[in-house]
Amino acid sequence: MEKEALVAQLTDWYGDLGLPVIALSGYSSQTLADLVRRDAHAAGRETVLLFAGDLDPSGVDLERDFVARTRCWDHAERVALTAEQVRDYDLPPQPGKPTDSRAPRFVAEHGHLLQIEVDALEPEQLHRLFDTALARWWDPDAYEAVLGAEQHDRDQLNER
């Protein structure tokens, strides 16, 4: 997440699945990037980043920067906010900041300068977007098997 304010929401929705949810709160430190990379490599499985951030020059570049500095993702996907979602959900754009050094690149990609906060999405909309993105990667049968194996291990430990 770009924003700290949305971490609690995502943790509420997906925390019981054991998925890490972090807020970059602006450009993250190299320490955080290194920690994420170490954890991703230690997991020993395919790594997927599902990202939500503002549709503005900094929000788009923040995602690019994090992916580049962590260098650990097999797949990285911007779940929200995209230009298509702005149209689909009829979100009102705000004027962008022409003083942002990232503005020319953003204009080249999007055609004009604007700023739309990811918070402009209704919580139900954001939840559906994440559910859809997560469904492409989440294996409920594998998850249930792991839960079953953990319970089996706990039962055996309690028998001793």
Side-chain angles (χ1 to χ4, degrees), residues 61-76:
D61 190 62
L62 180 72
E63 176 189 8
R64 179 213 52 81
D65 176 75
F66 186 69
V67 169
R69 287 194 300 126
T70 51
R71 301 182 321 271
C72 64
W73 306 107
D74 295 310
H75 305 278

Side-chain angles (χ1 to χ4, degrees), residues 39-83:
D39 285 353
H41 288 304
R45 59 182 174 263
E46 192 171 32
T47 57
V48 177
L49 171 67
L50 302 177
F51 179 81
D54 298 343
L55 184 61
D56 63 14
S58 293
V60 170
D61 190 62
L62 180 72
E63 176 189 8
R64 179 213 52 81
D65 176 75
F66 186 69
V67 169
R69 287 194 300 126
T70 51
R71 301 182 321 271
C72 64
W73 306 107
D74 295 310
H75 305 278
E77 176 182 343
R78 179 177 266 273
V79 174
L81 199 57
T82 67

Side-chain angles (χ1 to χ4, degrees), residues 3-160:
K3 305 209 173 195
E4 182 73 38
L6 295 176
V7 169
Q9 224 171 20
L10 264 75
T11 301
D12 184 50
W13 296 336
Y14 305 109
D16 61 329
L17 300 179
L19 300 174
V21 178
I22 61 171
L24 299 181
S25 302
Y27 287 86
S28 63
S29 68
Q30 190 58 47
T31 302
L32 176 61
D34 292 342
L35 178 64
V36 167
R37 182 175 49 254
R38 273 195 307 274
D39 285 353
H41 288 304
R45 59 182 174 263
E46 192 171 32
T47 57
V48 177
L49 171 67
L50 302 177
F51 179 81
D54 298 343
L55 184 61
D56 63 14
S58 293
V60 170
D61 190 62
L62 180 72
E63 176 189 8
R64 179 213 52 81
D65 176 75
F66 186 69
V67 169
R69 287 194 300 126
T70 51
R71 301 182 321 271
C72 64
W73 306 107
D74 295 310
H75 305 278
E77 176 182 343
R78 179 177 266 273
V79 174
L81 199 57
T82 67
E84 294 78 21
Q85 292 162 352
V86 168
R87 284 190 302 274
D88 292 349
Y89 296 114
D90 196 28
L91 302 176
Q94 301 298 315
K97 299 173 188 161
T99 56
D100 189 329
S101 62
R102 298 162 199 90
R105 184 176 183 181
F106 185 87
V107 170
E109 184 177 335
H110 295 278
H112 58 286
L113 187 58
L114 57 90
Q115 178 177 344
I116 305 171
E117 306 285 319
V118 69
D119 314 64
L121 284 170
E122 293 294 327
E124 301 79 28
Q125 295 166 332
L126 185 62
H127 197 175
R128 274 193 309 275
L129 292 168
F130 268 97
D131 277 352
T132 300
L134 185 58
R136 289 191 283 278
W137 305 105
W138 189 256
D139 182 344
D141 293 334
Y143 177 69
E144 291 300 322
V146 168
L147 291 180
E150 287 176 353
Q151 185 60 51
H152 179 262
D153 291 347
R154 278 192 297 279
D155 292 345
Q156 284 192 323
L157 286 171
N158 287 333
E159 288 176 6
R160 294 182 180 176

